Amino acid sequence: LSLIIPAYNEEHYIGACLDSVLPYAGKGIDEIIVVDNASTDRTSAIALSKPGVRVVHEAKKGLPAARERGRLEASGDLVAYIDADCRLHPAWLPLVTKIFTSQPKVISLSGPGHYWDATFWQRLILRFFWWASSPLM
């Protein structure tokens, strides 16, 4: 599994994101690629300070360009994307592994987000919309 993290001026978030991912490096996540999407802050420096993280640069601004650059750089059979302000939930990797190994016809997954910086009411509303639009298997 190649984990791709597009990042544009994410110096305040990328460190915590990578700290949530690094426990799974080599234990299901085979490579972690941060795509610096023309940042003007310390995003790259922070990402490079984390062990096992590779940083690639994409000069063309925009999420599609950053994601595509990450996909082209990835060497894994599976590719996953998370945003630089995300935290990887501990149950995410075991669930992804279980679904892709037990259901060979699955080609794509998405799941609910849990917004750690949202208010209680915002999280409640967002959880309802995820539940209504993307029921879990």
Side-chain angles (χ1 to χ4, degrees):
L1 177 82
S2 297
L3 184 65
I4 300 166
I5 307 170
Y8 171 71
N9 288 346
E10 297 286 357
E11 71 179 11
H12 299 292
Y13 302 104
I14 193 69
C17 174
L18 291 169
D19 288 342
S20 77
V21 167
L22 286 171
Y24 306 99
K27 299 175 186 169
I29 296 177
D30 300 306
E31 67 179 334
I32 301 165
I33 302 169
V34 172
V35 181
D36 183 343
N37 195 206
S39 295
T40 58
D41 65 0
R42 298 185 56 243
T43 296
S44 284
I46 294 167
L48 285 169
S49 73
K50 304 293 182 178
V53 174
R54 182 163 55 115
V55 175
V56 297
H57 297 275
E58 174 54 56
K60 182 177 179 184
K61 289 185 182 179
L63 189 56
R67 284 185 174 167
E68 179 63 4
R69 176 61 190 263
R71 186 189 68 79
L72 293 172
E73 294 284 337
S75 63
D77 292 331
L78 295 174
V79 175
Y81 300 92
I82 64 169
D83 293 334
D85 62 349
C86 290
R87 309 295 186 274
L88 195 63
H89 190 281
W92 179 82
L93 185 59
L95 180 59
V96 167
T97 302
K98 176 183 173 186
I99 291 171
F100 275 109
T101 56
S102 67
Q103 300 180 39
K105 291 185 179 184
V106 172
I107 59 168
S108 178
L109 289 176
S110 183
H114 299 281
Y115 299 88
W116 55 271
D117 58 347
T119 67
F120 169 79
W121 292 109
Q122 289 170 329
R123 286 193 307 269
L124 189 64
I125 291 167
L126 290 166
R127 186 173 290 170
F128 169 77
F129 282 114
W130 268 110
W131 175 81
S133 65
S134 303
L136 295 176
M137 302 175 80

